[in-house]
Amino acid sequence: MTWDDLDARLAAVPGTASVYAGRLDAAPTWTHAEHAPHYAASTMKVAVLAALYRAAEAGALDPDTPVPVHNDFPSAHPDGPRFSLTPHYDNDNAVWDRLDRTATLRWLAERMIVRSSNLATNILLGHVGLPAVADVWALAGARHSVTGRGIEDYTARAAGITNLVTAADLAALLGALATGATRPGPIATPASCATMLDVLRAQEFREDLPAGLPAGVPIAHKNGWVTGVRHGVGVVHPHDAPPYVLAVCTTTDLTDPDACRLLADVSARVWAARHDLQPAS
């Protein structure tokens, strides 16, 4: 299957499918609607992770400081009421088990990624702040992505305050963590970037991009999903080729299992072409 074949296949998807694929040290080899905006779902958690480590490097936060685990948050809407998260909508009981106790910011950040904890995400957003997350997107060179609110902030959502990503922006963010190359400066020190990539490699939901890779191939990745949305972004480290970044975003009428299969199929195709990932002519 050629890239043109994949373009045709994605164009036939009922909705919008976006892809960015290429080596870390080169322009993308293949893109498809890479600048189309999508609701971010949990992919925005990567930017929150980076904001935490930037705050730690600046001395503003200590990741090993215990903080209260609570379920009461201010809305991003100026006139919005405080809100709480729904436990059954979350993916991680471990954070809820600590409700009304404490946990370190570092542990919460790990749960935010490895089990995509919504509760941990909103707690972390309360400590790092939305402007710090915006700084991460800007440093990565994101053109359209924004983190405007926490999860389940329905008042803000109704007012049009939302979280958006594109495949190109997600690839830029993961690529920045993997290489440290951003403008006007790096998102974080090499040591912090390495730590974040280790956390992303430990991510436990592997039914989309990782499912298209051979067993044991390292991928530092984050996915996100809600009804009608399935995204995945990751940096793949083949043993026999340079590392590459792949981001796939779908906002479609596909069922979630079908969307996962689509992401896995794209991942498998890019893996098969890993030796040929060079800048597109």
Side-chain angles (χ1 to χ4, degrees):
M1 181 180 289
T2 67
W3 301 123
D4 287 343
D5 293 331
L6 276 172
D7 275 326
R9 179 182 177 189
L10 293 177
V13 169
T16 303
S18 305
V19 179
Y20 180 110
R23 283 177 21 178
L24 293 175
D25 59 351
T29 297
W30 175 51
T31 59
H32 181 96
E34 73 275 21
H35 298 301
H38 298 259
Y39 175 65
S42 290
T43 58
M44 51 79 80
K45 295 170 182 176
V46 180
V48 178
L49 178 71
L52 172 64
Y53 276 88
R54 281 179 56 77
E57 290 175 357
L61 291 174
D62 179 354
D64 295 312
T65 297
V67 299
V69 177
H70 59 90
N71 185 24
D72 178 67
F73 306 100
S75 174
H77 190 286
D79 300 320
R82 298 184 72 86
F83 68 97
S84 299
L85 296 182
T86 308
H88 73 262
Y89 188 62
D90 209 337
N91 300 295
D92 187 16
N93 291 332
V95 182
W96 288 93
D97 289 343
R98 296 201 185 191
L99 193 63
D100 298 324
R101 295 189 288 152
T102 64
T104 67
L105 294 170
R106 188 186 306 275
W107 183 82
L108 290 167
E110 291 171 356
R111 302 311 297 181
M112 175 179 67
I113 298 299
V114 301
R115 290 297 301 176
S116 206
S117 168
N118 294 338
L119 184 58
T121 302
N122 280 12
I123 294 170
L124 288 166
L125 273 174
H127 286 275
V128 302
L130 290 169
V133 181
D135 288 344
V136 168
W137 285 120
L139 284 168
R143 295 172 56 184
H144 304 288
S145 296
V146 62
T147 303
R149 60 173 174 83
I151 298 167
E152 290 192 65
D153 185 352
Y154 297 127
T155 300
R157 184 182 71 177
I161 302 170
T162 191
N163 301 323
L164 298 175
V165 294
T166 69
D169 290 348
L170 286 171
L173 178 56
L174 265 289
L177 296 183
T179 65
T182 63
R183 296 177 181 176
I187 286 178
T189 64
S192 290
C193 287
T195 298
M196 287 186 272
L197 291 171
D198 284 342
V199 173
L200 289 161
R201 274 189 282 268
Q203 214 262 102
E204 295 178 4
F205 295 102
R206 304 180 63 83
E207 60 269 42
D208 39 56
L209 296 186
L213 301 173
V217 172
I219 176 172
H221 76 111
K222 184 71 188 80
N223 42 23
W225 62 93
V226 296
T227 302
V229 168
R230 169 63 72 160
H231 309 324
V233 58
V235 175
V236 181
H237 284 267
H239 69 280
D240 59 351
Y244 63 87
V245 62
L246 173 62
V248 186
C249 298
T250 65
T251 303
T252 70
D253 295 332
L254 297 173
T255 66
D256 193 59
D258 286 343
C260 285
R261 280 190 285 272
L262 175 63
L263 267 65
D265 287 348
V266 172
S267 181
R269 175 64 183 89
V270 175
W271 169 263
R274 65 192 181 279
H275 298 291
D276 304 317
L277 293 178
Q278 300 291 341
S281 57

